[in-house]
């Protein structure tokens, strides 16, 4: 049975009227007439294939929040009807008319006026919303970049984090292309119409739009796959669900108020308030969900056990004690049999970095029990290596202490042969050597902190375990 | 400044004002211009709507009556002045042409 209606995701820009007209003409030839435009899809109704001509005009006073067309809009529709045009659908200020007549008078017969009314309509909706989107994207990208500068290893080894930057970059680029191409078209058309010419053809960048759409879907998929690998797929699904719910909810409120005949201003105010309230509620729900999921995830990890320990001062604390596999443990250096160790491992792997953290802890905080902490960083691109190494080398530098001449922590280069490495460093507090070391081989950086000063043999053994791991 | 905006008139502006020397309903303006110019000048419905709105804002025409969704307009003194100014400008152009050919 043939479907009477079909829905399509279209990638047209709001100002690309020529491409939309051509597309709708083609759809009518295939037997589909545009019936409805929503934020998610365009809906078409089956008709007999026909050579139908669609014309788009922009009516600046029209609003998506008005319950019905204004008297001026109705008058405009009447003029168009009397010239043989029927209104197919509206999309904010965009009014899509059609006619089956071959020799219908064009709706716009003065190019300068046409340009003026298009620009007037664009200033009302398309331009401010695009500017807001670009500003938001730039703000988000700057936030993420500043976070990378503060915590490069943590952020660059996280695919979810990187995919968020990609996603906002796509939003910013897409908005920037829209804005630049619109202003270029408007400026060139203004020049042309001022000397009696016509508005220039709009360059819709439809293929570019499609590429950006596919890239966005790719980034979303990448984000979901990463979350899936980290067993946190529900966070991804909940985030997508949250955004969808907010858009659905806000549209639902707007459409219900429209149907109830509520005025444009009231509708706009209530819709904006509902968008803010709904966003906060959904964000709160999502945050609660994420915390609960992370808690659940931690509690149900096969190696995590909840245990209560007494600290040396007698206070009791409950900790999750892990038994994760570690490539190097204290017991390989010391003859110690301590059953309460927590062996904690974390593995973050992105397209740029792999960052593994290992921590052998003692939650009884007994000063006689030795502990150990180390990190292994595999930098996947040569150009990123120096940046990562520098981060570690500068990690403990306190500019204020240096300026004031106080003692400060600083790495000093040491003999790398002990570590069988290309380069090695030891952390010093002033002139006092500490038990923290940094060494690199190839594209691998290892940072290790012992609870005791290791012997040369222990250093060599550690590097054998961690550089070849 | 409205007067500056309509300092010279396009062909479509000129004929709309010409028709509105007598009270006329919006759509009839289009028909009358077609008849008057033997279909040489055509004003589309979008252009007509925009020009009527702008003329009204510039007080070159005024609304005379509303019957249902139909609105009628007539030219004002300001509109007549613009029309006459355009007429003289065109005459001047014809004179210049004739005296140089």
């Amino acid at each position: 049975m043939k479907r009477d209606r079909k829905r399509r995701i279209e990638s047209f820009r709001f100002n690309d009227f020529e491409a939309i007209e051509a597309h709708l003409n083609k759809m009518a030839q295939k037997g589909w007439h545009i019936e409805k435009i929503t934020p998610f899809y365009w809906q078409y109704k089956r008709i007999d294939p026909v050579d139908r001509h669609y014309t788009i005009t922009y009516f600046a006073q029209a609003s998506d929040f008005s319950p019905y067309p204004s008297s001026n809009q109705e008058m405009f529709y009447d003029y168009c009807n009397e010239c043989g045009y029927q209104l197919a659908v509206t999309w904010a200020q965009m009014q899509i008319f059609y006619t089956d007549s071959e020799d219908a008078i064009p709706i716009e017969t003065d190019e300068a006026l046409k340009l003026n009314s298009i620009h007037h309509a664009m200033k009302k909706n398309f331009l401010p919303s695009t500017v807001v989107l670009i500003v938001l994207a730039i703000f988000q990208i700057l936030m993420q970049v500043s976070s990378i500068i503060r915590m490069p290893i943590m952020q660059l080894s996280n695919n979810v984090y990187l995919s968020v930057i990609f996603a906002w970059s796509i939003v910013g680029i897409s908005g920037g292309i829209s804005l630049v191409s619109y202003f270029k078209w408007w400026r060139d058309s203004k020049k042309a119409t001022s000397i009696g010419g016509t508005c220039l053809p709009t360059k819709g960048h439809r293929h570019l739009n499609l590429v950006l759409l596919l890239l966005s879907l790719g980034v979303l998929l990448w984000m979901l796959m990463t979350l899936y690998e980290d067993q946190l797929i529900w966070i991804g699904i909940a985030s997508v669900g949250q955004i969808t719910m907010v858009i659905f909810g806000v549209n639902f409120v707007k459409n219900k108020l429209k149907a109830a005949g509520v005025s444009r201003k009231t509708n706009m105010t209530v819709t904006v308030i509902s968008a803010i309230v709904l966003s906060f509620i959904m964000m709160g729900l999502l945050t609660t969900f994420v915390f609960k999921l992370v808690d659940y995830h931690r509690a149900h990890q096969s190696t995590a056990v909840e245990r209560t320990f007494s600290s040396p001062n007698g206070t009791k604390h409950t900790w999750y004690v892990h038994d994760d596999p570690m490539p190097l443990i204290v017991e390989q250096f010391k003859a110690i049999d301590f059953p309460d160790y927590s062996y904690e491992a974390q593995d973050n792997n992105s397209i740029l970095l792999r960052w593994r953290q290992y921590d052998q802890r003692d939650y009884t905080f007994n000063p006689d029990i030795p502990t150990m902490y180390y990190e292994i960083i595999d930098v996947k691109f040569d150009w990123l290596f120096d940046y990562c190494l520098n981060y570690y080398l500068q990690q403990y530098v306190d500019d204020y202490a240096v300026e004031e001449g106080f003692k400060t922590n600083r790495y000093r280069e040491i003999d790398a042969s002990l570590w069988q490495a290309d380069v090695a460093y030891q952390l010093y507090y002033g002139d006092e050597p500490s038990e923290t070391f940094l060494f690199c081989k190839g594209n691998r950086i290892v940072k290790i902190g012992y609870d005791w000063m290791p012997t040369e043999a222990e250093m060599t053994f550690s590097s054998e375990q961690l550089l070849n791991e | 400044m409205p007067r500056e905006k309509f300092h010279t008139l396009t062909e479509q502006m000129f004929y709309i004002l010409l028709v509105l020397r007598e009270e006329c309903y919006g759509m009839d303006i289009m028909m009358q211009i077609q008849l008057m110019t033997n279909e040489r000048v055509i004003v589309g419905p979008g252009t007509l709507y925009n020009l009527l709105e702008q003329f009204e804002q510039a007080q070159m025409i005024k609304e005379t009556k509303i019957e249902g969704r139909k609105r009628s307009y007539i030219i004002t003194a300001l509109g007549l002045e613009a029309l006459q100014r355009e007429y003289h400008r065109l005459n001047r152009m014809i004179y210049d042409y004739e005296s140089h050919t």
Side-chain angles (χ1 to χ4, degrees), chain A residues 352-365:
Chain A
L352 301 177
L353 290 182
R354 185 173 183 195
W355 179 40
R356 283 171 285 174
Q357 288 170 279
Y358 299 94
D359 206 350
Q360 186 171 350
R361 290 170 174 242
D362 159 30
Y363 288 118
T364 64
F365 300 104

Side-chain angles (χ1 to χ4, degrees), chain A residues 373-377 392 395-396 411 436-439 445-449 466:
Chain A
Y373 168 82
Y374 51 94
E375 298 174 39
I376 304 173
I377 303 97
Y392 278 103
Q395 202 175 13
Y396 300 109
Y411 278 106
T436 300
F437 298 86
L438 195 64
F439 53 95
I445 301 169
V446 177
K447 177 187 171 187
I448 185 162
L466 301 180

Side-chain angles (χ1 to χ4, degrees), chain A residues 24 43 57 64 76 80 102 106 131 133 145 163 233 236 244 246 251 264 280 370 388 407 410 437 452:
Chain A
L24 294 177
Q43 185 169 300
T57 64
D64 237 7
F76 172 62
C80 293
E102 281 290 329
V131 168
L133 203 64
V145 168
S163 60
I233 185 69
T244 315
V246 170
N251 264 287
R264 184 182 69 87
F280 271 104
C388 295
K407 270 204 230 177
R410 193 181 279 275
F437 298 86
W452 68 96

Side-chain angles (χ1 to χ4, degrees), chain A residues 57 59 61 71-83 85 105-110 113-114 116-117, chain B residues 5 10 12-13 25-27 30-31 34 42-54 69-71 73:
Chain A
T57 64
F59 197 86
Q61 294 158 32
S71 58
N72 282 344
Q73 217 171 333
E74 281 182 334
M75 186 169 75
F76 172 62
Y77 292 165
D78 285 347
Y79 288 177
C80 293
N81 284 345
E82 290 200 39
C83 291
Y85 288 94
I105 297 170
I107 290 181
E108 302 283 357
T109 48
D110 184 314
L113 265 181
K114 174 181 164 181
N116 196 36
S117 62
Chain B
K5 188 175 178 183
T10 64
Q12 297 181 75
M13 292 173 186
Y25 153 63
M27 276 311 294
M30 283 171 63
M31 305 304 156
Q34 283 191 47
I42 290 169
V43 183
T47 303
L48 177 70
Y49 172 83
N50 280 320
L51 283 178
L52 288 177
E53 191 184 41
Q54 290 185 20
R69 282 157 63 163
K70 288 185 174 184
R71 294 182 196 184
Y73 302 90

Side-chain angles (χ1 to χ4, degrees), chain A residues 16 107 118 124 135 238 310 352 355 417 440:
Chain A
D16 192 12
I107 290 181
I118 290 174
K124 203 175 165 192
V135 170
S310 295
L352 301 177
W355 179 40
S417 64
C440 315

Side-chain angles (χ1 to χ4, degrees), chain A residues 83-222:
Chain A
C83 291
Y85 288 94
Q86 304 297 318
L87 181 70
V89 71
T90 63
W91 177 15
Q93 285 78 35
M94 185 191 282
Q95 320 283 305
I96 304 179
F97 291 94
Y98 69 94
T99 178
D100 292 340
S101 163
E102 281 290 329
D103 48 7
I105 297 170
I107 290 181
E108 302 283 357
T109 48
D110 184 314
E111 291 290 318
L113 265 181
K114 174 181 164 181
L115 182 67
N116 196 36
S117 62
I118 290 174
H119 192 55
H120 198 44
M122 293 303 159
K123 280 199 286 190
K124 203 175 165 192
N125 188 340
F126 165 73
L127 294 176
S129 59
T130 309
V131 168
V132 168
L133 203 64
I134 292 171
V135 170
L136 196 64
I138 291 173
F139 175 73
Q140 286 290 342
I141 292 167
L142 287 178
M143 293 267 290
Q144 314 293 337
V145 168
S146 85
S147 181
I148 287 181
I149 291 168
R150 280 182 286 114
M151 300 171 286
I153 307 300
M154 182 194 277
Q155 308 296 25
L156 294 176
S157 62
N158 186 337
N159 268 342
V160 175
Y161 190 83
L162 294 176
S163 60
V164 168
I165 297 179
F166 274 112
W168 278 111
S169 303
I170 292 170
V171 170
I173 290 168
S174 173
I177 291 171
S178 287
L179 213 58
V180 169
S181 69
Y182 171 74
F183 274 110
K184 191 176 180 310
W185 172 82
W186 177 66
R187 189 197 61 191
D188 294 347
S189 296
K190 204 173 174 191
K191 264 189 209 163
T193 55
S194 69
I195 51 168
T198 58
C199 292
L200 271 77
T202 54
K203 283 182 188 158
H205 304 290
R206 204 176 170 203
H207 290 108
L208 187 63
N209 292 348
L210 205 62
V211 168
L212 287 171
L213 185 71
L214 290 174
L215 263 175
S216 311
L217 290 174
V219 168
L220 182 67
L221 199 68
W222 177 33

